[in-house]
Amino acid sequence: MQPNPQVDLQEWIQQLNKIDACISYYIQKYPSLLLIGPVKRTQSTGAVKSPDQLVAKPAESLEQFASVPNFVAKNICILVRFLGGLLANASNKAVFNSVEELVDLLAAADDTVASVALETLSHLATPPCLHKQQAPEVHQHSTALHN
């Protein structure tokens, strides 16, 4: 059985930018999703981001958080889990441009969203597995031990 091939994130730039835009949209449209306001945006070199977007106040009570529709947290979890799976099997992680959004999601009132964001950040920080970097052997062993 051959190990899963590593993904080069450079080949996923367009899709990653769309996912980034979706997460940013949810954070902007539903500020009560967060318990702490979003981090100040830096000027990015890849995706088109607006660094000075105004965000309404984060949730100050459970009633405000309850006003966020359930599908928002579900959709964010799906997007962030996908990012986590991609990052767990990726090389060239330096091109990943959604760190600020993931950091914002650590302050989510929904524990599942915060947990998935933390897991995805850990995948980003973890170096690629060595066994995925090695090329498979071209020929099979022919010693008596392997017969």
Side-chain angles (χ1 to χ4, degrees):
M1 179 194 284
Q2 201 174 20
N4 293 336
Q6 258 185 340
V7 176
D8 183 2
L9 283 187
Q10 187 68 40
E11 298 172 4
W12 284 78
I13 290 291
Q14 292 178 344
Q15 293 86 352
L16 290 172
N17 286 343
K18 290 183 192 291
I19 292 171
D20 180 51
C22 289
I23 294 171
S24 294
Y25 168 79
Y26 282 129
I27 291 172
Q28 293 295 320
K29 180 144 172 105
Y30 301 101
S32 296
L33 179 70
L34 304 178
L35 296 174
I36 301 171
V39 298
K40 183 166 172 59
R41 301 290 188 251
T42 59
Q43 190 64 18
S44 65
T45 56
V48 178
K49 292 186 182 183
S50 51
D52 295 324
Q53 286 181 332
L54 294 175
V55 177
K57 289 179 148 183
E60 294 178 353
S61 67
L62 286 177
E63 292 80 26
Q64 287 178 338
F65 170 68
S67 69
V68 177
N70 288 336
F71 74 88
V72 172
K74 279 185 176 182
N75 289 350
I76 289 176
C77 283
I78 289 168
L79 292 169
V80 175
R81 278 192 183 111
F82 175 79
L83 289 175
L86 193 62
L87 290 170
N89 297 298
S91 63
N92 200 9
K93 295 180 183 182
V95 300
F96 186 72
N97 204 25
S98 301
V99 174
E100 293 165 336
E101 285 74 14
L102 292 176
V103 169
D104 288 344
L105 293 177
L106 292 176
D110 186 315
D111 290 339
T112 306
V113 172
S115 174
V116 171
L118 182 61
E119 185 178 329
T120 301
L121 285 169
S122 74
H123 288 308
L124 178 63
T126 306
C129 297
L130 276 179
H131 74 276
K132 293 180 182 178
Q133 294 177 358
Q134 297 172 349
E137 293 183 52
V138 178
H139 58 77
Q140 294 183 350
H141 298 286
S142 59
T143 63
L145 183 63
H146 293 98
N147 290 334

